[in-house]
Amino acid sequence: MTPEILAQVHAAAFDRDRPWSADEFADLLASPLVSVVGDDRAFAMGRVIAPELEILTVACRRDLQRQGLGHACVHALLLAGQQKGAQTAFLEVAADNLAARHLYDRLGFEKVGLRRAYYDRTNGPAVDALVLSKALNA
């Protein structure tokens, strides 16, 4: 996937956060540690620095949410991370992003930390980030 497509999907997924730009995606994709799974509907991006997989972002176009696309992308990213030697996956999610929190709960992630006022909001106060983790079993 190109940085431009990633930026388009990201912009179509997030209405409360600043979407990432094509240049930001290009910078991430320049690293051999970064992987992306998905397509122009939904994707998950992560970085493996053994023994951890950091899930950088997950995006699904708003008009296609609740169809299992995000779940499939995150699951595929977890498998790809395992294949690259990751034993644990972690991520940050906005405390008010109930759909994403539900997705990560279903995938077996657990809260391991909190970052206060981590996510800026365009029309309101900053929101806490929950730090979630999941053991990746072989």
Side-chain angles (χ1 to χ4, degrees):
M1 295 203 355
T2 67
E4 293 75 22
I5 291 174
L6 293 169
Q8 289 171 3
V9 175
H10 208 260
F14 295 100
D15 61 356
R16 294 182 293 177
D17 301 315
R18 181 192 64 80
W20 295 4
S21 71
D23 287 341
E24 289 169 308
F25 281 111
D27 288 344
L28 287 166
L29 291 172
S31 170
L33 303 175
V34 172
S35 298
V36 178
V37 295
D39 57 28
D40 63 354
R41 301 170 299 158
F43 70 87
M45 174 181 269
R47 169 176 39 217
V48 174
I49 301 175
E52 295 180 326
L53 164 64
E54 177 186 12
I55 298 177
L56 299 169
T57 191
V58 176
C60 180
R61 287 183 15 205
R62 292 188 81 66
D63 61 326
L64 297 173
Q65 291 177 356
R66 299 188 138 338
Q67 297 180 22
L69 296 171
H71 186 280
C73 289
V74 173
H75 182 71
L77 185 64
L78 295 174
L79 291 175
Q82 265 187 302
Q83 292 172 348
K84 291 183 177 186
Q87 298 171 6
T88 305
F90 73 95
L91 59 93
E92 288 107 7
V93 63
D96 64 352
N97 188 340
L98 300 180
R101 289 178 55 191
H102 180 70
L103 168 66
Y104 300 131
D105 285 345
R106 287 190 358 244
L107 287 163
F109 282 83
E110 296 180 357
K111 180 182 170 190
V112 296
L114 177 72
R115 295 177 193 243
R116 297 223 180 266
Y118 187 75
Y119 290 103
D120 288 327
R121 293 290 189 238
T122 55
N123 295 319
V127 175
D128 295 345
L130 306 176
V131 181
L132 307 181
S133 180
K134 172 187 173 67
L136 302 177
N137 301 323

